[in-house]
Amino acid sequence: MRCGVAVAGLALAARLGLGTAGAHTAQLAMAHLVIAADRSVAAELALKGADLDRLAGTHLADPASGLVRGEALAAASAAIARLVLAQTTLEITARDGTARACVAGPMTFAADQDGILARWRWTCPALAAATRYRYRSSLFFDRDAAMRQAVLIESAATKGQALLDATMSEMNFPLPARPALSLWRLALRLAAGAVAVSALGLALLRWARRRG
């Protein structure tokens, strides 16, 4: 996923006219969401270390090189996770607007040149007539009006993208269709049903003979 979010995110940023100096772009977060067959969503968020230092009060970037220091990231990881998840949510929603929150799992971090990569997975509850996800993220929008977040979404069937900012901090995207029952599993179920019907028929025949 790391290569995907970096390449696709920079491509989106270029199309939107944003600068791409350095490994990570200042004032641009990049989120990559991958929908699994079970409707859980793997998330990866890339941020520039200097943005975190400036907006979150961390001390990740080396003053000389600008590169994120691994030991500093490890020390600040719990605080960064709380900050990200306080401002970034995912819901599963139905046509009538009913929504249920997805639950974020543990977040892991890796230093990536002058930025960081945060990874976690959302587990989404069952919801009758669910049709879509709603992703919201206002990460740092209240602290820097120029902050943007490029969001890239993909599943086995679809891909999508959006650019979030202080004026639009959410997006909707469709749930993947539940996988159809495979032919061999269907054949097994039909065979099992036929065996059950045959067994029932034999039992009824024996009962009728005893009654006769």
Side-chain angles (χ1 to χ4, degrees), residues 75-209:
S77 60
I80 297 171
R82 288 193 297 269
L83 178 61
V84 169
L85 294 179
Q87 300 184 52
T88 304
T89 61
L90 185 71
E91 296 175 336
I92 189 167
T93 65
R95 288 187 181 89
D96 64 1
T98 302
R100 295 186 66 184
C102 301
V103 178
M107 188 176 294
T108 62
F109 292 88
D112 182 36
Q113 299 183 59
D114 63 348
I116 72 160
L117 294 174
R119 299 183 180 95
W120 68 98
R121 180 176 293 274
W122 271 298
T123 301
C124 297
L127 176 64
T131 60
R132 66 188 186 276
Y133 299 94
R134 181 184 295 131
Y135 174 77
R136 292 189 179 103
S137 185
S138 57
L139 189 60
F140 296 137
F141 293 165
D142 60 338
R143 305 184 187 191
D144 183 350
M147 280 294 297
R148 302 290 187 269
Q149 185 176 145
V151 185
L152 305 155
I153 298 155
E154 64 177 298
S155 68
T158 62
K159 289 187 178 182
Q161 61 189 31
L163 185 70
L164 306 184
D165 58 25
T167 66
M168 184 188 72
S169 60
E170 70 174 55
M171 63 181 296
N172 293 286
F173 52 97
L175 266 73
R178 290 201 178 277
L181 191 66
S182 62
L183 290 178
W184 70 269
R185 288 179 62 193
L186 180 59
L188 285 176
R189 288 193 180 184
L190 290 174
V195 169
V197 169
S198 298
L200 177 61
L202 288 172
L204 289 173
L205 180 60
R206 289 170 183 165
W207 176 80
R209 285 176 177 174

Side-chain angles (χ1 to χ4, degrees), residues 17-54:
L18 300 172
T20 57
H24 293 262
T25 302
Q27 298 177 306
L28 176 68
M30 294 188 293
H32 187 198
L33 309 179
V34 179
I35 307 168
D38 63 0
R39 296 188 173 181
S40 65
V41 179
E44 181 175 89
L45 181 69
L47 288 162
K48 192 173 181 69
D51 281 337
L52 279 165
D53 290 349
R54 177 171 58 90

